[in-house]
Amino acid sequence: MRLFFAVDFPEELKEKIHQDITPLFKYNGVKWVAKENYHLTLAFLGEKEEKELLQIDRAAKSVPQVKESLIKVLDFGAFPNLKRPKVLFLKIESPGLLTLAENLRQNLKENNISFDEKPFVPHLTIGRVKGEIKNLALPKFNPKEFSFKNFYLIKSILTPEGPIYEKIKSYEILQNA
Ligand code: 2AM
């Protein structure tokens, strides 16, 4: 099964984000992410065997809890850049999330659980450009924020209509006050 760790967004925030980015949907040749699928990847594990689940779960459970849980959803960004976007995203700012991702990745390494080790750039992917967008005009995005309480181990089922994400484990991230 295809697995990744991610933080989810509150439903009303997904709705507001979707509203703000609606002017972009006129661009063709982009696979826009369905709003119910908005998420923030912490680590992408890829294909794993059922028997590896226990160890993956143990590694996630022992991630130290964080003190700061504020996540700010800022402005538009793109990989490799906004002039020639291939992946369009919203930039994320969150010191707590950085700490969490670092600790989670460290735990995965220590447990020999392989994952995509590209440097962690916190982002919310909104679209994947299949062709080329010429003269991309970005609408105004009103920054948003929320406090995250959990992160999840998510199973991704790829279908022709797009991926289906299924949360299979949940982990609390906040230090008990
Ligand atoms: P992306 O949205 O920035 O493309 C599920 O596929 C999630 O894992 C997506 O959010 C995807 O990021 C992320 N991811 C990170 N590395 C990946 C990889 N090597 N292959 C597929 N998805 C990856």
Side-chain angles (χ1 to χ4, degrees):
M1 73 195 100
R2 191 179 159 95
L3 296 176
F4 64 98
F5 283 104
V7 169
D8 198 7
F9 294 87
E11 293 307 317
E12 62 278 11
L13 203 95
K14 290 183 184 179
E15 188 54 57
K16 283 188 186 148
I17 290 171
H18 192 259
Q19 274 170 20
D20 271 19
I21 68 171
T22 296
L24 285 174
F25 300 154
K26 67 177 184 228
Y27 290 102
N28 296 318
V30 183
K31 199 131 188 53
W32 296 105
V33 175
K35 74 171 172 234
E36 60 274 15
N37 279 352
Y38 291 165
H39 67 273
L40 211 170
T41 305
L42 295 166
F44 180 77
L45 307 186
E47 252 341 283
K48 298 287 170 195
E49 306 267 344
E50 188 85 33
K51 62 173 193 270
E52 294 174 271
L53 267 182
L54 195 66
Q55 207 194 2
I56 293 169
D57 181 46
R58 246 191 247 134
K61 266 188 194 147
S62 58
V63 171
Q65 294 184 312
V66 297
K67 295 191 194 84
E68 289 177 80
S69 66
L70 192 70
I71 290 185
K72 291 184 183 166
V73 187
L74 298 175
D75 204 0
F76 294 99
F79 296 130
N81 57 60
L82 273 171
K83 276 205 175 126
R84 279 183 162 267
K86 277 292 157 200
V87 175
L88 270 170
F89 60 76
L90 291 167
K91 294 178 196 163
I92 302 289
E93 190 183 280
S94 170
L97 188 85
L98 285 184
T99 307
L100 174 69
E102 216 169 272
N103 289 333
L104 173 64
R105 287 162 170 244
Q106 188 57 36
N107 274 15
L108 292 172
K109 274 190 201 166
E110 281 167 13
N111 286 279
N112 293 318
I113 300 159
S114 63
F115 63 96
D116 187 323
E117 291 197 36
K118 278 201 289 291
F120 180 60
V121 180
H123 66 280
L124 189 186
T125 297
I126 54 169
R128 297 182 176 86
V129 183
K130 300 297 168 196
E132 199 179 323
I133 302 185
K134 293 228 169 76
N135 306 320
L136 173 66
L138 293 169
K140 177 172 169 43
F141 183 79
N142 303 304
K144 306 176 199 326
E145 57 183 51
F146 71 103
S147 279
F148 71 118
K149 298 180 177 61
N150 301 76
F151 72 98
Y152 300 94
L153 178 60
I154 300 178
K155 180 171 162 180
S156 164
I157 302 152
L158 301 178
T159 79
E161 290 77 41
I164 297 168
Y165 296 143
E166 197 184 303
K167 290 173 181 160
I168 57 175
K169 296 270 178 194
S170 170
Y171 306 92
E172 285 195 14
I173 58 99
L174 268 190
Q175 240 168 24
N176 298 327

